[in-house]
């Protein structure tokens, strides 16, 4: 299959979705032209310019780094349509009105370049009906491409072909979306709301129905439908506020209009209380009031009994809480169904009705059960999809319970479960997932792009992944390899809780590196996110309480030896980073020969949050960077390059993307940024092999480093004095920050003094241990261990 080449993208519509799709293309180094209507006043591209300015203020940020915005150009339909001829992919993302879309298609079609893909980001309109608005000779290049909001962070994209869509083009587009934009793809059928929204919106309807039926409060329901059942923290009603209550009502209206024959259509209605909120402009988060609102510091929730807002609270019945904590899902679901309390009955009911709905509609809306389960995980943040949950709870037993509830009128619909439900033990098996339309098990996609995903998201019951051959392991580290990838490239994985770095991890890494030097050609440090959350504070806190400061100094020295072993190994060590790499984890990353970052990598030296400074070589690495930059600059002054590093450490700055991590100095300009986190291990193994086969040489210990010395420390202190006088930092913050400055500047030595790497390591270790001896740092460590939050003291 030839590779699809997309050099430039156009996005039509600068609303919430269109603008953020454009931003994410720019994140991936794909230049974008973003179109909208000509502005009625001011510059013609004012609508797009305003949208771009607004995105720069959003949190979470659509742009992975500030410089990405320069790759999005503003344009308008009035004067710039000819520029569509520059683009290989055009994505329409205007409002969900069929007549508006068809009118736009007629205007833009004459300007599309030959072979360009034209795709609609519709969330539920008929793709066949939209394709009819394109010239006949362009329909083979038309499809649906439904991103989920926000496009940078939500993995799911639904690809919806028409009967005329070119199959090879669709395969190429899927491969491009997976690797270039980092997306997880579900091929959807052309049915209303496609896969994820069809099931997800029905799930919301089930919650609305049973909330009213059982007389539960909205905040009570959110306690029940969040993390306790494997759903996002925003649960149901908070999510509705975030999405927009008007958007929810629009989706419900679409379902009512397009699914009149659905057995559940009687429930596709908007409750009176929701209509009342919208009528008075309470649309959710965007209007600062909806089901919830904030009054000062108090979060309030709408109470239908009071017909007013009250303080949000609520609680889960202890007996129900105990049921939800059961590890055995078979036992859990049996007890929920049998328990008489409304909370238990509510939970059983919402699961039952979603199981029922998915079973009845599987043949119609999805190729197979895996697509529904993954769509709900990727698009709605569920820990398990509905079929996985059902299968884990005991397929046949749950099927009988559902059938009984249908027979006795307890379910939302009286339609019978399909016969296939009772003929099977489940829908997921090692051979594949069940397709009701074809009455067979369907294997995963065989597209070559998925060979890069060594450990893709698996569904319950699917064939387990090959976890490779273990070469050596201890309590904190496993050294292993994937012979099917490269038997001479080792993989070392941290196995401690949250991948915290304690004695056993340091011992393990030192041993793994030593073995790799004699037995392998390269080494990759990889484990699923988080990469590593820093030092094992539990071990540090216990040693502080026991007054074992000599032991702690030896522990820090070993940490430094481990970092230096990574840096100076006789084989290339590649860090494959995904998720958080904080504190000591960040320092390991900084010392690697090369880094392969997943885009969503959150990297930083955060020790200041517990009253400490980086002491695993992080300060030393910044000092070396400053030395190298100063050598290339006129005058050779080190301090200008120290200043940014000082602010980064003192403020415990965490990069919010791989690109920011590189810009902050936690990585290097030549490092790799991989947009699909499932591909980082594959990319890192191949990078290690490339380094081993190239002119790579291990880093030499730098015998001479020019440091900023006393003048550098004094200059940093001037910044601290101003912050202290302004009340921005406490006295202990000042002390911690000065220790960071001392380490970065090489200690109390003459400015531009030439010292060794080891000298700087000794300085940062001494400063670290002195801070450990202070009462306030010990308080900060204890508070972090108890609450998981930093203490300001």
């Amino acid at each position: 299959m030839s590779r699809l080449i997309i050099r430039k993208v156009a996005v039509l519509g600068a609303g919430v979705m269109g603008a953020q799709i454009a931003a994410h293309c720019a994140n991936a180094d794909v230049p974008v032209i973003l179109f909208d209507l000509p502005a009625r006043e001011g510059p013609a591209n004012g609508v797009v310019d305003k949208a771009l300015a607004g995105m720069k203020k959003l949190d979470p940020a659509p742009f992975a780094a500030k410089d990405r915005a320069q790759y999005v150009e503003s344009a308008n339909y009035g004067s710039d349509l000819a520029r569509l001829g520059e683009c290989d992919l055009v994505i329409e993302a205007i409002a969900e009105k069929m007549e508006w879309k068809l009118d736009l298609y007629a205007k833009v079609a004459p300007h599309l370049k030959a072979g360009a893909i034209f795709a609609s980001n519709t969330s539920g309109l008929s793709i066949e009906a939209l394709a009819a608005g394109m010239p006949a000779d362009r329909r083979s290049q038309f499809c649906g491409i439904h991103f989920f909001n926000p496009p940078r962070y939500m993995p799911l994209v639904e690809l919806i072909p028409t009967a005329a869509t070119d199959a090879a083009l669709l395969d190429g587009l899927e491969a491009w979306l997976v690797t270039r934009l980092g997306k997880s793809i579900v091929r959807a059928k052309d049915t209303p709301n496609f896969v994820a929204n069809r099931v997800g919106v029905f799930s919301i309807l089930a919650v609305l129905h049973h909330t009213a039926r059982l007389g539960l409060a909205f905040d009570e329901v959110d306690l029940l439908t969040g993390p306790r059942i494997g759903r996002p923290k925003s649960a149901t009603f908070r999510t509705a506020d975030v999405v927009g209550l008007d958007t929810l009502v629009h989706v419900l209206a679409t379902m009512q209009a397009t699914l009149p024959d659905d057995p559940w259509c009687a429930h596709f209605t908007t409750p009176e209380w929701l209509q009342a909120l919208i009528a008075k402009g309470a649309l959710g988060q965007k209007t600062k009031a909806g089901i919830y609102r904030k009054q000062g510091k108090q979060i309030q929730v709408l109470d239908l009994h009071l017909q007013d807002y009250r303080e949000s609270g609520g609680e889960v019945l202890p007996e129900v809480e105990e049921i939800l904590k059961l590890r055995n899902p078979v036992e859990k679901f049996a007890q929920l169904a049998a328990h008489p309390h409304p909370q238990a009955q509510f939970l059983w009911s919402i699961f039952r009705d979603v199981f029922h709905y998915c079973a009845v509609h599987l043949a119609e809306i999805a190729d197979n059960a895996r697509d529904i389960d993954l769509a709900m995980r990727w698009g709605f943040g569920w820990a398990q999809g509905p079929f996985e949950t059902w299968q884990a709870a005991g397929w046949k037993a749950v099927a009988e319970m559902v059938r009984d509830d249908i027979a006795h009128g307890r379910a939302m619909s009286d339609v019978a479960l399909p016969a296939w439900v009772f003929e099977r033990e489940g829908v997921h098996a090692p051979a594949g997932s069940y397709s009701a339309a074809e009455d067979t098990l369907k294997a995963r996609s065989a597209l070559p792009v998925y060979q890069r995903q060594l450990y893709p998201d698996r569904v319950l019951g699917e064939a387990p992944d090959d976890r490779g051959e273990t070469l050596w392991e201890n309590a904190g580290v496993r050294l292993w390899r994937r012979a099917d990838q490269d038997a001479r490239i080792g993989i070392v994985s941290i196995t401690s809780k949250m991948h915290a770095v304690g004695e056993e991890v340091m011992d393990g890494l030192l041993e793994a590196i030593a073995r790799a030097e004699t037995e392998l050609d390269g080494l990759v440090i990889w484990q699923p996110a988080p990469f590593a959350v820093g030092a094992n504070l539990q071990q540090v806190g216990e040693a502080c309480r026991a007054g074992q400061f000599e032991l702690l100094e030896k522990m820090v020295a070993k940490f430094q030896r481990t970092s230096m072993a990574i840096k100076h190994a006789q084989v290339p060590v590649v860090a494959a980073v995904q998720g958080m790499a904080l504190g000591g984890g960040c320092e390991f990353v900084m010392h690697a020969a090369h880094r392969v970052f997943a885009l969503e990598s959150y990297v930083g030296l955060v020790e200041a949050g517990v009253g400490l400074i980086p002491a695993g070589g992080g300060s030393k690495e910044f000092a070396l960077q400053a030395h190298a930059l100063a050598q290339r600059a006129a005058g050779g002054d080190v301090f200008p390059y120290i200043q940014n590093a000082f602010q980064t450490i003192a403020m415990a700055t965490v990069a919010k993307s791989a690109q920011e991590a590189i810009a902050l100095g936690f990585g290097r300009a030549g490092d790799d940024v991989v947009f699909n986190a499932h591909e980082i291990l594959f990319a890192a193994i191949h990078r290690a092999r490339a380094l081993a086969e190239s002119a790579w040489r291990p880093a030499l210990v730098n015998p001479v480093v020019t440091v900023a010395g006393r003048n550098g420390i004094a200059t940093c202190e001037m910044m601290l004095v101003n912050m202290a006088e302004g009340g921005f930092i406490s006295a202990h913050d000042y002390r911690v920050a000065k220790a960071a400055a001392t380490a970065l500047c090489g200690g109390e030595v003459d400015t531009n003094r030439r010292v060794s790497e080891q000298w700087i390591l000794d300085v940062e270790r001494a400063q670290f241990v002195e801070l450990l001896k202070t009462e306030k740092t010990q308080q900060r460590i204890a508070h972090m261990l108890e609450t998981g939050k930093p203490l300001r003291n």
Side-chain angles (χ1 to χ4, degrees):
M1 184 180 75
S2 59
R3 177 183 295 129
L4 178 69
I5 297 175
I6 296 177
R7 293 186 174 89
K8 184 177 283 189
V9 170
V11 178
L12 310 180
V16 171
M17 285 301 294
Q20 294 200 43
I21 291 169
H24 193 55
C25 289
N27 290 337
D29 300 318
V30 181
V32 187
I33 306 174
L34 180 58
F35 284 81
D36 212 301
L37 295 166
R40 294 178 181 176
E41 298 177 354
N45 295 335
V47 174
V48 177
D49 291 340
K50 183 178 179 180
L52 290 173
M55 281 199 295
K56 294 175 184 177
K57 301 173 185 176
L58 291 179
D59 186 21
F63 289 112
K66 292 178 181 178
D67 69 332
R68 300 291 96 186
Q70 67 183 307
Y71 297 110
V72 182
E73 296 182 72
S74 302
N76 70 83
Y77 305 133
S79 59
D80 299 322
L81 285 180
R83 295 205 62 195
L84 290 172
E86 304 170 22
C87 301
D88 304 296
L89 171 63
V90 178
I91 301 172
E92 170 269 305
I94 68 169
E96 290 288 276
K97 290 185 180 293
M98 180 70 73
E99 62 275 20
W100 291 7
K101 290 179 186 285
L102 294 178
D103 180 64
L104 181 62
Y105 292 5
K107 292 176 181 175
V108 303
H111 300 280
L112 300 175
K113 72 187 290 187
I117 301 170
F118 190 85
S120 175
N121 183 56
T122 177
S123 59
L125 296 179
S126 168
I127 298 300
E128 290 286 355
L130 290 171
M134 297 295 293
D137 63 350
R138 297 212 64 100
R139 290 174 192 168
S140 65
Q141 292 139 12
F142 181 83
C143 65
I145 181 173
H146 179 213
F147 288 81
F148 274 65
N149 188 29
R152 172 184 164 186
Y153 300 97
M154 294 302 291
L156 180 61
V157 169
E158 292 174 320
L159 270 185
I160 312 99
T162 70
T165 304
D166 181 81
L169 176 144
L170 203 68
D171 287 348
L173 182 59
E174 179 167 349
W176 184 82
L177 287 164
V178 167
T179 288
R180 193 64 180 268
L181 296 191
K183 293 301 161 191
S184 299
I185 306 300
V186 166
R187 295 273 186 109
K189 297 184 178 184
D190 188 17
T191 57
N193 288 351
F194 311 129
V195 179
N197 278 346
R198 181 74 174 269
V199 175
V201 173
F202 176 78
S203 176
I204 293 170
L205 285 169
V207 170
L208 290 172
H209 173 75
H210 293 297
T211 298
R213 179 178 70 85
L214 293 162
L216 300 180
F218 296 138
D219 50 348
E220 183 181 10
V221 167
D222 276 352
L223 287 174
L224 293 167
T225 59
R228 285 178 173 84
I229 61 169
R231 307 281 170 84
K233 287 174 65 176
S234 55
T236 303
F237 293 109
R238 287 185 188 278
T239 297
D241 270 354
V242 171
V243 170
L245 301 184
D246 53 337
T247 302
L248 176 60
V249 168
H250 173 75
V251 173
L252 293 179
T254 300
M255 290 182 73
Q256 196 169 35
T258 57
L259 295 166
D261 298 324
D262 189 294
W264 284 264
C265 65
H267 298 284
F268 299 167
T269 57
T270 304
E272 290 183 8
W273 62 264
L274 185 51
Q275 292 176 347
L277 283 177
I278 292 171
K280 66 180 184 181
L283 307 181
Q285 188 169 280
K286 58 190 171 187
T287 59
K288 303 189 185 307
I291 298 168
Y292 291 89
R293 72 179 184 186
K294 191 172 183 180
Q295 293 288 96
K297 293 186 177 181
Q298 187 184 85
I299 302 296
Q300 298 183 332
V301 64
L302 182 65
D303 189 313
L304 296 183
H305 297 295
L306 299 174
Q307 291 292 300
D308 200 357
Y309 289 91
R310 59 165 172 79
E311 184 176 358
S312 178
E315 60 182 25
V316 176
L317 183 77
E319 292 174 47
V320 174
E321 190 80 82
E322 289 305 310
I323 296 173
L324 292 174
K325 288 179 181 178
L326 292 172
R327 291 182 176 273
N328 184 339
V330 175
E331 188 180 353
K332 181 188 299 184
F333 274 81
Q335 290 196 26
L336 284 175
H339 199 288
H341 192 275
Q343 290 184 356
Q345 285 302 298
F346 167 82
L347 288 170
W348 161 245
S349 297
I350 64 170
F351 277 109
R352 175 203 61 215
D353 289 324
V354 171
F355 295 161
H356 187 190
Y357 191 82
C358 289
V360 169
H361 288 300
L362 174 58
E364 172 195 351
I365 69 173
D367 179 65
N368 59 76
R370 179 178 54 248
D371 285 351
I372 287 182
D373 281 343
L374 291 179
M376 297 313 298
R377 283 161 57 175
W378 294 337
F380 279 77
W382 291 13
Q384 281 190 323
F387 285 120
E388 290 180 285
T389 305
W390 182 351
Q391 189 162 323
W395 182 267
K396 289 203 167 182
V398 169
E400 291 297 340
M401 291 161 65
V402 175
R403 178 157 62 181
D404 186 63
D405 277 6
I406 295 168
H408 289 87
R410 292 188 288 266
M412 288 172 66
S413 169
D414 60 4
V415 65
L417 283 170
W420 64 259
V421 169
F422 301 98
E423 297 165 359
R424 305 193 57 80
E425 298 292 334
V427 289
H428 302 305
S433 294
Y434 184 67
S435 168
E438 299 178 38
D439 191 28
T440 188
L441 294 177
K442 301 290 285 289
R444 281 177 170 263
S445 170
L447 286 178
V449 67
Y450 293 113
Q451 295 173 13
R452 298 171 57 86
Q453 297 188 13
L454 304 185
Y455 297 104
D457 287 330
R458 297 288 187 194
V459 292
L460 181 81
E462 192 174 3
D465 291 313
D466 174 15
R467 288 287 163 176
E469 175 194 356
T470 298
L471 302 177
W472 176 86
E473 62 185 327
N474 72 350
V477 156
R478 177 188 178 221
L479 175 64
W480 55 291
R481 64 183 170 193
R482 285 278 304 241
D484 63 327
Q485 296 297 310
D486 192 327
R488 297 283 301 173
I489 299 297
I491 305 163
V492 60
S493 298
I494 299 173
T495 57
S496 57
K497 184 178 180 181
M498 289 294 288
H499 309 140
V501 182
E503 287 271 9
E504 69 286 357
V505 171
M506 292 183 278
D507 289 338
L509 286 171
L510 288 168
E511 177 67 19
I513 292 165
R515 286 172 179 262
E517 288 178 326
T518 59
E519 301 168 14
L520 300 168
D521 297 336
L523 193 62
V524 172
I525 304 175
W526 173 84
Q527 52 273 333
F531 179 82
V533 295
N536 187 325
L537 276 184
Q538 192 71 46
Q539 291 181 359
V540 173
E542 289 171 0
C544 282
R545 287 192 294 274
Q548 297 173 322
F549 296 106
E550 286 187 16
L551 176 65
L552 284 166
E553 182 162 9
K554 290 178 181 177
M555 187 186 298
V556 178
K558 182 185 284 188
F559 210 128
Q560 293 179 336
R561 286 201 309 277
T562 307
S563 293
M564 293 294 274
I566 292 170
K567 182 173 184 177
H568 300 294
Q570 295 302 300
V571 294
V573 179
V574 175
V577 185
Q578 174 191 1
M580 295 183 293
L582 305 177
C586 174
E587 289 174 296
F588 286 166
V589 169
M590 293 175 74
H591 283 81
H594 193 88
R595 284 143 295 275
V596 176
F597 289 107
L599 175 68
E600 301 308 333
S601 296
Y602 308 109
V603 187
L605 296 170
V606 296
E607 289 85 352
V610 288
L612 294 169
I613 67 167
S619 304
K620 179 263 302 177
E621 282 299 296
F622 273 131
L624 284 175
Q625 289 179 31
H627 166 78
L629 291 167
Q631 295 300 302
R632 296 196 290 269
D637 186 8
V638 175
F639 185 75
Y641 307 104
I642 287 291
Q643 190 169 356
N644 287 340
F646 170 66
Q647 291 178 331
T648 297
I649 291 175
M651 301 299 291
T653 302
V654 175
K656 294 182 179 178
S657 71
Q659 291 154 347
E660 280 193 7
I662 293 169
L664 287 169
F666 301 131
R668 304 289 183 271
D671 289 337
D672 303 308
V673 177
V674 174
F675 271 52
N676 196 311
H678 293 297
E679 296 182 353
I680 62 169
L681 179 57
F682 177 92
I685 289 171
H686 283 259
R687 176 60 69 183
R689 169 53 60 195
L691 289 171
E693 298 298 332
S694 69
W696 177 87
R697 298 290 183 273
L700 295 173
V701 176
N702 199 323
V704 176
V705 185
T706 303
V707 295
R710 295 186 188 90
N711 287 353
I713 297 170
T715 306
C716 290
E717 275 204 273
M718 289 171 60
M719 297 163 57
L720 295 175
V721 167
N722 291 334
M723 293 178 72
E725 289 180 351
F728 297 108
I729 60 174
S730 68
H732 195 60
D733 290 331
Y734 186 109
R735 179 168 182 174
V736 173
K738 184 180 178 182
T742 302
L744 282 168
C745 296
E748 296 282 354
V749 297
D750 293 339
T751 298
N752 293 328
R753 165 91 175 267
R754 292 156 75 84
V755 302
S756 67
E757 275 190 75
Q758 188 58 50
W759 174 277
I760 304 173
L761 287 169
D762 292 344
V763 171
E764 69 176 21
R765 185 173 70 253
Q767 293 294 321
F768 183 93
V769 174
E770 286 304 309
L771 286 170
L772 277 177
K773 294 177 181 177
T774 65
E775 181 182 3
K776 289 191 180 295
T777 286
Q778 292 175 21
Q779 289 171 350
R780 291 188 182 191
I781 292 172
H783 189 267
M784 180 63 75
L785 287 169
E786 290 170 12
T787 68
K789 298 177 181 178
L791 172 67
R792 181 84 186 276
N793 61 354

